[in-house]
Amino acid sequence: MTSQYIALPKGVAEQTFDAAISSFRNVLGDAAVLTSAEQLAPYIKTMMPVPDANHMPSAALLATTVEQIQKIVAICNQHKVPIWTISTGKNLGYGSAAPAERGQVVLDLKRMNRILEVDKDLAYALVEPGVTYQQLYDYINEHKLGLWLSMPAPTAIAGPVGNTLDRGVGYTPYGEHFLFACGMEVVLANGEVLRTGMGSMPNSNTWQVFKWGYGPYLDGIFTQSNYGIVTKFGFWLMPAPPAFKPFVIQYQHEEDIVEIVETIRPLRINGIIPNAVVIAHALYEAPVIARRSDYVSGPGSISDEAVRKITKDHKLGIWNVYAALYGTQEQIDVNWQIVTQAFGRSGKAKILTEQEMGDDPAFNYRAKLMRGDMTLTEFSLYNWRGGGGSMWFAPVSQARGSETLKQMALTKQILAKYGLDYSGEFIVGMRDMHHIVDVLYDKTDPEQTKAAYQCFDELLTVFSAQGYGTYRVNTAFMDKVAETYGPVQRNVHKTLKHALDPNGILAPGKSGIR
Amino acid sequence: MKIIKLGQIVFGFIFTAILAISPAWSTPEETPHPGFAWQNGAEIYAKICAYCHEAQVGPPIRNRELPPAYIRAIVRNGKRAMPAFRSSEIDDESLVKLVDFISKKETEH
Ligand SMILES: Cc1cc2nc3c(=O)[nH]c(=O)nc-3n(C[C@H](O)[C@H](O)[C@H](O)COP(=O)(O)OP(=O)(O)OC[C@H]3O[C@@H](n4cnc5c(N)ncnc54)[C@H](O)[C@@H]3O)c2cc1C
């Protein structure tokens, strides 16, 4: 007999699953329990170089309240059915809305989307998981709150809860999102509801203003993890500054990254440049304005010569440093002088502002990201190769010039071996850099898909052997990355998992934790 | 081993309790006021589609008389790099309005 489900959770018999589904229907109503292939289609598409069948869900549940979620975890425990929680579900390039393992039930919280509070004076928000950045942006504008959001490049369609829980980044001074998280409500696997930090105390009004509470700080264990289901999330917003000055600094040689990083680090650590600066390679920017087919024919990665031609034709640097100054005009004037002096010293840098860049689409979308405006222009990346394949390779680097050059060269060399291009950038923290490389490939081409898989695997192997850890990874490689952090951390993760979720119902496999 | 078993019993008890008396678990401000809802097709287009399809990232899709079934299928399945959109993001009713907005000529609105 063929199954009425497109997939089943590992080790769960169809009869048992039937019973779970009918209990879910009792809690949520029929319309909020999706099981048909047509209903589940949007949960299946990923950008990873593995068969979509590997990550096919068995069902999706559209819950909207904490009580429903408590009842869902009870049913999951009873039938040992695993659930994979998503908030806005746009984890593109990291696994999208599909679960880590075939057959897991997606708990989709997109419809649990109330903005519970935005405090203008204390500049914080408390939201439910399904709130998108667009929704919050509109709310802030409508109510004239004068607050800015920090967002990842998929802005409008993604959301603060999912992004921060996966420890994502944005581009304003609040760009390291988890640093600005303050207070969570979490449904635990046993159905209890935990409010972290000050939220644990009845009648406290400091939940969204003081992060640490009392005793061990717990918020961290609910990020990149599977220890709970976050149902409310507090975070800080940036008061809109009176003035904002975005700029780009172009350099013409790959080795110049050493000078760039050495120049930027003190400016960043000292707060002269307050935002998450991006040092983008020409091939990260080119797709916004150029077509690969105009420069490359045939297989293999793009040549350095062709990249140089692109930079000439489209007035790009080999490196393009996007940053901004924020504050009063007087503060900006002082800091601008410091920045231009620092970058002007060697004579290699070309410093450009809104005045010179006018309507340049690459500059424009970067400027939008640095002031928390809506744009999806970065999706141009996918026009470079076509075919919709993408994995983010995201090793962490010291903010030290020699290290960034080494990581770039190593990445480029491994990508070239598999015929892939280096579409990379460094997102500058204070002392670290997220080295972000979009491993782009044509998913409709089986050979390229295979090459992309092997390439990514080799990138992880080689980087970890050199002591370079990855900060975040797609669901096909979570175990591999967990392994690179060594057995002790893995054991601690496992111990916590077994204590908090003994039946293993919450997102087994997330960050390699089961 | 005994300790583990005991833990499981306690665990099981909590679930039964939740199933039986769930309202008692509700958090104080859990008033069932509705969440976000789309107003019309134009709003969805402006706040999702237009960021790519009016920005030379994706191809233009308006005024091309694309068949409604085709638009629906692409929204739900995605296409190559275009992400798929779930019914939790664009509900079926709103999708009808969006499809109408995209497939009809501008003059017909
Ligand atoms: C072109 C492009 C550019 C991108 N740029 C960036 C960027 O600048 N910065 C960046 O960070 N990312 C970037 N991304 C990756 C990704 O799209 C974003 O990080 C996005 O914000 C993640 O999706 P989401 O916000 O919808 O989160 P979700 O998909 O909802 O959640 C992400 C993960 O968090 C966990 N999770 C979600 N909700 C819960 C919950 N309630 N309880 C417990 N766990 C939960 C799950 O493991 C889930 O898979 C980019 C992607 C693309 C395609």
Side-chain angles (χ1 to χ4, degrees), chain A residues 336-358:
Chain A
W336 182 240
Q337 221 179 353
I338 299 174
V339 170
T340 47
Q341 259 173 19
F343 276 101
R345 222 164 274 142
S346 75
K348 290 187 194 165
K350 191 167 167 191
I351 307 174
L352 302 159
T353 65
E354 263 173 325
Q355 247 168 347
E356 295 85 23
M357 295 310 281

Side-chain angles (χ1 to χ4, degrees), chain A residues 20-309:
Chain A
I21 288 290
S22 92
S23 301
F24 292 142
R25 289 192 195 283
N26 284 341
V27 173
L28 299 172
D30 285 348
V33 179
L34 316 181
T35 56
S36 75
E38 195 189 341
Q39 289 173 321
L40 293 173
Y43 297 86
I44 292 168
K45 182 181 193 299
T46 80
M47 306 179 96
M48 301 182 293
V50 294
D52 286 345
N54 292 9
H55 298 272
M56 191 174 280
S58 51
L61 311 176
L62 312 185
T64 53
T65 68
V66 170
E67 297 95 313
Q68 286 175 350
I69 295 171
Q70 291 176 296
K71 289 177 186 169
I72 288 169
V73 294
I75 296 163
C76 290
N77 274 296
Q78 189 185 346
H79 299 288
K80 311 279 188 292
V81 166
I83 42 173
W84 177 263
T85 305
I86 60 171
S87 288
T88 35
K90 285 285 177 279
N91 215 2
L92 309 168
Y94 289 115
S96 305
E101 293 174 4
R102 182 181 166 83
Q104 292 176 344
V105 174
V106 178
L107 175 61
D108 182 349
L109 302 182
K110 176 67 195 71
R111 286 191 184 165
M112 187 173 188
N113 57 21
R114 294 175 304 163
I115 296 167
L116 299 168
E117 192 185 357
V118 182
D119 190 300
K120 182 176 162 59
D121 303 323
L122 294 168
Y124 69 73
L126 178 68
V127 301
E128 290 186 331
V131 170
T132 59
Y133 287 112
Q134 175 81 60
Q135 191 188 337
L136 195 52
Y137 179 87
D138 290 344
Y139 180 94
I140 288 169
N141 282 345
E142 196 183 313
H143 294 85
K144 300 194 172 45
L145 299 176
L147 298 168
W148 278 12
L149 295 170
S150 174
M151 293 179 270
T155 61
I157 56 178
V161 183
N163 181 271
T164 312
L165 290 179
D166 229 19
R167 297 210 291 265
V169 295
Y171 304 92
T172 74
Y174 285 33
E176 179 64 275
H177 293 160
F178 186 51
L179 269 184
F180 298 90
C182 194
M184 297 175 182
E185 178 186 87
V186 189
V187 176
L188 301 172
N190 69 2
E192 281 188 296
V193 179
L194 166 72
R195 289 188 173 184
T196 63
M198 304 309 282
S200 279
M201 170 171 273
N203 302 321
S204 160
N205 65 5
T206 51
W207 190 19
Q208 267 62 63
V209 296
F210 183 65
K211 286 155 81 94
W212 320 120
Y214 180 73
Y217 172 70
L218 294 176
D219 297 49
I221 69 164
F222 298 108
T223 63
Q224 290 195 357
S225 91
N226 50 17
Y227 300 149
I229 297 165
V230 175
T231 47
K232 289 184 183 60
F233 175 75
F235 60 107
W236 297 337
L237 301 168
M238 176 181 162
F244 164 70
K245 184 184 180 76
F247 56 95
V248 59
I249 303 173
Q250 298 182 340
Y251 278 81
Q252 289 310 336
H253 300 282
E254 283 183 342
E255 312 81 75
D256 292 341
I257 185 114
V258 177
E259 177 179 317
I260 296 171
V261 174
E262 293 302 311
T263 310
I264 269 194
R265 188 187 49 246
L267 299 176
R268 183 80 175 96
I269 290 190
N270 292 318
I272 305 291
I273 296 179
N275 73 316
V277 176
V278 172
I279 307 169
H281 190 271
L283 288 182
Y284 204 100
E285 299 310 280
V288 179
I289 35 192
R291 276 194 317 213
R292 189 177 192 272
S293 55
D294 289 342
Y295 294 88
V296 193
S297 55
S301 59
I302 190 167
S303 67
D304 285 350
E305 206 186 337
V307 178
R308 263 192 302 278
K309 182 152 173 26

